[in-house]
Amino acid sequence: MLEQRIGTWLELQDALFAGSWSEVLGRHRSTFVFRGMPQVANDLSTALNRKGLFVRKEKDLLRAFRKYARGYSPQSVESLWDWLALAQHHGLPTRMLDWTFSPYVALHFLTENPERYGEDGVVWCVDYRQTNRHLPRRLKTLLRREGADVFTGEMLAMAASDLSTFDHLAKHPFVLFLEPPSLDARIVNQFALFSVMNGPELCLDTFLEAQAEGVRKLIIPAALKWEVRDKLDQSNITERVLFPGFDGLSRWLRRYYSPRASVYAPAGRPRRRVAK
């Protein structure tokens, strides 16, 4: 795993889009997915297994969610995997983690909270072609037959209709990426997908640390966060776009018009002192 500390905005662009050129296609088509987090100390544990709070309650949580959500759920939700994606999308603790195909969406989530601008952040970049090499044969065959690199709920249901079957597809840990159905504009605008491992207790950090290729951990220093945020705003990568509706609009306006407090001043730039 490559860990790189970023120094400038231009260096960040090079790192995010490194390896995106495809000789076969003759196009820049990256095979990486991205996850941005405001604190470099954040790990890749899921809401289900973080601090071991809900690991043993996974089936109970999902069963109850499916039972009580049927009156509100979209008709496109059919398989277990679609239900799991819907639950994750709305905040239920699951074994899934949120990722995006867009490096700029990842940067948004790294910089969405100004209260964290005094701390270094991180963007995880994972090449799904490399993680797919560790998939069990049944899943590799399914991807090859479909001509795909990531799964849909419909595809995954062909190999495992329930979590127990999925967990027993291989004895070794593996991770796959699942692209959910277009449940709402938020899923679409965030270019979202989820990672899934074959066990509720498994943590993606441990898996990725052992992978020599296809994993980059980009450290974004606190001093660079304001510049990243301002340039994302200018590029229209904002809460207003990523969370369509009144809530996203209000979140965007609240952040956009908040003053740049001196406590968030980048390192190396002394605070101005007012003469008394």
Side-chain angles (χ1 to χ4, degrees):
M1 182 176 66
L2 174 66
E3 183 171 310
Q4 179 181 357
R5 186 172 181 86
I6 301 299
T8 67
W9 169 260
L10 293 179
E11 185 181 341
L12 177 59
Q13 306 313 298
D14 288 340
L16 289 173
F17 292 97
S20 63
W21 175 253
S22 170
E23 290 288 351
V24 175
L25 299 176
R27 303 284 296 274
H28 288 88
R29 295 288 173 84
S30 177
T31 55
F32 278 80
V33 293
F34 306 89
R35 178 176 171 84
M37 295 185 289
Q39 297 171 282
V40 71
N42 293 144
D43 61 19
L44 295 177
S45 58
T46 66
L48 187 74
N49 64 28
R50 193 169 298 131
K51 299 181 180 179
L53 293 177
F54 295 105
V55 169
R56 296 183 180 179
K57 297 296 182 181
E58 180 181 35
K59 293 181 180 179
D60 297 332
L61 284 167
L62 189 56
R63 182 180 63 251
F65 182 84
R66 295 178 70 173
K67 178 171 65 174
Y68 295 120
R70 288 197 178 274
Y72 323 110
S73 60
Q75 293 183 351
S76 58
V77 177
E78 298 176 353
S79 71
L80 164 80
W81 303 101
D82 289 341
W83 277 106
L84 200 60
L86 180 66
Q88 171 71 15
H89 185 53
H90 288 281
L92 188 77
T94 76
R95 66 170 66 186
M96 290 182 164
L97 269 182
D98 296 85
W99 294 77
T100 176
F101 289 108
S102 168
Y104 285 170
V105 171
L107 290 178
H108 168 81
F109 288 107
L110 184 143
T111 58
E112 67 175 337
N113 185 359
E115 293 183 2
R116 299 296 186 189
Y117 282 14
E119 305 171 69
D120 292 351
V122 61
V123 176
W124 285 87
C125 315
V126 176
D127 187 343
Y128 48 74
R129 294 176 308 176
Q130 295 297 329
T131 54
N132 286 348
R133 295 174 64 181
H134 301 279
L135 293 176
R137 181 179 301 176
R138 189 173 181 181
L139 294 178
K140 287 181 180 178
T141 301
L142 185 57
L143 284 178
R144 185 167 57 252
R145 188 174 69 200
E146 295 290 329
D149 292 308
V150 299
F151 290 85
T152 65
E154 182 182 11
M155 288 170 57
L156 200 50
M158 297 178 188
S161 60
D162 58 72
L163 290 172
S164 179
T165 301
F166 178 73
D167 289 349
H168 288 88
L169 288 176
K171 294 182 179 180
H172 63 273
F174 65 83
V175 63
L176 59 79
F177 290 94
L178 170 71
E179 191 170 6
S182 299
L183 300 169
D184 55 26
R186 195 173 81 183
I187 285 280
V188 174
N189 292 3
Q190 293 179 15
F191 214 174
L193 73 166
F194 304 117
S195 62
V196 189
M197 297 196 73
N198 57 321
E201 76 289 346
L202 297 177
C203 189
L204 191 51
D205 297 78
T206 304
F207 179 84
L208 294 178
E209 285 172 1
Q211 189 164 313
E213 298 181 2
V215 181
R216 298 198 297 266
K217 185 178 181 181
L218 307 181
I219 310 301
I220 315 300
L224 191 59
K225 280 188 173 181
W226 273 111
E227 181 180 356
V228 170
R229 183 65 262 169
D230 288 344
K231 290 179 176 177
L232 289 177
D233 284 340
Q234 188 173 2
S235 303
N236 202 29
I237 307 297
T238 69
E239 296 87 346
R240 179 180 174 224
V241 173
L242 301 181
F243 298 90
F246 292 121
D247 291 343
L249 174 61
S250 298
R251 287 168 61 175
W252 169 56
L253 292 173
R254 178 178 179 179
R255 179 188 54 74
Y256 190 79
Y257 285 99
S258 62
R260 179 168 174 168
S262 60
V263 70
Y264 302 131
R269 295 186 185 180
R271 302 177 187 176
R272 293 182 61 185
R273 294 188 178 182
V274 179
K276 296 183 179 179

